Amino acid sequence: MTAGRKLAGKVCIVTGATRGIGKGIALQLGEAGATVYMTAGRKLAGKVCIVTGATRGIGKGIALQLGEAGATVYITGVGIVTAPQLGEAGATVYMTAGRKLAGKVCIVTGATRGIGKGIALQLGEAGATVYITGRTLVAAKDNIAGSLTETAKQIEERGGKCIPVQCDHTKDEEIQQLFDKVKSEQEGQLDILVNNAYNAVKAIFDNLKVPFWELPKDMWDTVNNVGLRNHYLCTVHAAKMMVPRRQGLIVNVSSVGGLTYLFNVPYGIGKEACDRMAADCAVELKKHNIAMISLWPGAVRTERINFFLEQGSTKSGGDDMKSVFEEGETIEYSGKAVVGLASDPNIMKKTGKIQLSADLGYEYGFKDIDGREKVSMRNLKQILMLSPNTQWIGRLTPGFIYIPKWIMSLAGNKF
């Protein structure tokens, strides 16, 4: 049968045939028996493009049109909404959405669990190559989960790249080997160091309310060998890699214990020293375009803290620390803060200063991974609600009142 095949044997080209008039013409020509070649508006076939900030708005519109015109399109931004639409339009799509730190090399110490793990997860998700350290490589040695391989697996599941390095941060030679490894494998590149390794949480909670003269004799070393001395050594090694490249960010994970008494004497001394280290190192690093800051997370519900809460181990005397931690941050909130700092083009304005995780959340516009917006410890209402004696005042206090940092600093005034 050739009924209606008026154009059998004919060869046709129809441009712009994805929709509208062009599509209608192509359909009719094909129905009439012609062989139809459609260019469907692929004016840029074979071209390679980059569109930055293409998750929405003008960038998204440009990317869609380039893709529809046949180009291979690389898009950047936070989120992946644009990519499926580009694929539907026939484009070859390479996504770096949310990969703010692609090409960066990081070290996060103490990343088997807790805040270090949360920071490593967020850095990896943001596209960085992350070296993580800890003593537990394969399986946790106690009843609280966590290992380097587990953290690495989770980073890779998010599309990140992670290199786990088993390292005892009480041993100088293993710290040296860590930095030698990074230097060798990354051709001297190190962009971010997060000093987080800590070995004293269990000892601290096992000795709450014990006066310093009755603490175990090794409490100072337990708290401040890994938690302070190691931070300094890692900072020295990092600076040797960053100074020649004239760029970098070093973060000390500290706490409000650096301002006023918290937990015990060795803890407070160590945290204030971490803050002072960041401030003093920043003086010498600033001329080399390297920033160093001290990060204060709020109360964080780490795996160990959650275990203590379940066991009732945070109670001591008349105090119940459950109220402090029950609305605490997840371990990844600090990670979002570090990603924000590392992505900040004006990071040098913050060098040498203490940064509160919740304040960075307001500034950079991120929430915790559970969707909650965290409240800064500078929030007056939040402070008043912590004590049963002032809760009644807290209920009457507006939530928008924040204590200025200069007033907050008076809590640590020694004059």
Side-chain angles (χ1 to χ4, degrees), residues 130-201:
V130 188
Y131 285 78
I132 58 173
T133 74
R135 291 176 300 174
T136 306
L137 180 62
V138 178
K141 297 178 181 178
D142 55 23
N143 53 4
I144 301 173
S147 70
L148 291 173
T149 53
E150 180 182 329
T151 301
K153 180 181 177 182
Q154 292 181 26
I155 290 173
E156 289 165 359
E157 286 172 348
R158 300 185 186 198
K161 182 178 180 181
C162 181
I163 298 95
V165 181
Q166 192 169 22
C167 178
D168 184 342
H169 283 275
T170 66
K171 298 179 179 179
D172 294 3
E173 63 274 15
E174 294 192 17
I175 297 171
Q176 177 73 61
Q177 290 166 7
L178 163 67
F179 284 87
D180 287 346
K181 177 180 175 67
V182 177
K183 185 175 183 179
S184 173
E185 294 178 353
Q186 301 300 325
E187 298 181 347
Q189 179 181 350
L190 177 62
D191 300 287
I192 302 164
L193 166 66
V194 179
N195 286 317
N196 169 76
Y198 205 65
N199 193 34
V201 176

Side-chain angles (χ1 to χ4, degrees), residues 143-356:
N143 53 4
I144 301 173
S147 70
L148 291 173
T149 53
E150 180 182 329
T151 301
K153 180 181 177 182
Q154 292 181 26
I155 290 173
E156 289 165 359
E157 286 172 348
R158 300 185 186 198
K161 182 178 180 181
C162 181
I163 298 95
V165 181
Q166 192 169 22
C167 178
D168 184 342
H169 283 275
T170 66
K171 298 179 179 179
D172 294 3
E173 63 274 15
E174 294 192 17
I175 297 171
Q176 177 73 61
Q177 290 166 7
L178 163 67
F179 284 87
D180 287 346
K181 177 180 175 67
V182 177
K183 185 175 183 179
S184 173
E185 294 178 353
Q186 301 300 325
E187 298 181 347
Q189 179 181 350
L190 177 62
D191 300 287
I192 302 164
L193 166 66
V194 179
N195 286 317
N196 169 76
Y198 205 65
N199 193 34
V201 176
K202 185 177 186 301
I204 288 170
F205 280 96
D206 285 347
N207 292 278
L208 287 174
K209 298 298 181 180
V210 177
F212 72 87
W213 59 90
E214 294 180 7
L215 286 173
K217 293 180 180 179
D218 62 351
M219 180 61 78
W220 175 272
D221 291 333
T222 300
V223 172
N224 290 321
N225 191 351
V226 173
L228 175 60
R229 183 180 184 275
N230 162 77
H231 292 3
Y232 177 74
L233 291 180
C234 287
T235 299
V236 169
H237 288 299
K240 289 179 179 180
M241 295 177 66
M242 292 177 175
V243 167
R245 300 181 69 245
R246 295 192 59 79
Q247 63 178 9
L249 169 65
I250 301 173
V251 178
N252 277 356
V253 176
S254 186
S255 86
V256 70
L259 178 65
T260 187
Y261 182 90
L262 183 64
F263 299 137
N264 63 40
V265 172
Y267 178 86
I269 294 172
K271 291 305 181 184
E272 181 155 8
C274 282
D275 297 339
R276 182 60 184 266
M277 184 200 308
D280 286 5
C281 288
V283 173
E284 298 184 8
L285 291 171
K286 188 173 184 178
K287 63 183 178 182
H288 300 286
N289 196 42
I290 299 167
M292 186 165 182
I293 67 101
S294 194
L295 178 66
W296 285 9
V300 182
R301 292 199 59 144
T302 65
E303 300 89 342
R304 192 176 290 277
I305 290 296
N306 285 335
F307 174 77
F308 287 149
L309 289 175
E310 293 168 2
Q311 299 297 314
S313 302
T314 55
K315 290 186 177 181
S316 182
D319 296 331
D320 184 355
M321 297 189 66
K322 183 177 180 180
S323 61
V324 176
F325 286 99
E326 60 185 358
E327 296 298 326
E329 303 170 3
T330 71
I331 59 173
E332 293 191 50
Y333 190 69
S334 291
K336 290 194 170 191
V338 173
V339 170
L341 289 166
S343 307
D344 189 341
N346 298 311
I347 184 62
M348 294 308 295
K349 292 182 179 180
K350 291 181 169 62
T351 191
K353 299 178 181 178
I354 293 168
Q355 302 295 322
L356 280 62

Side-chain angles (χ1 to χ4, degrees), residues 1-10 27-35:
M1 295 183 290
T2 59
R5 313 292 281 177
K6 300 177 180 179
L7 301 181
K10 300 293 185 181
L27 288 172
Q28 288 300 312
L29 287 171
E31 189 175 317
T35 300

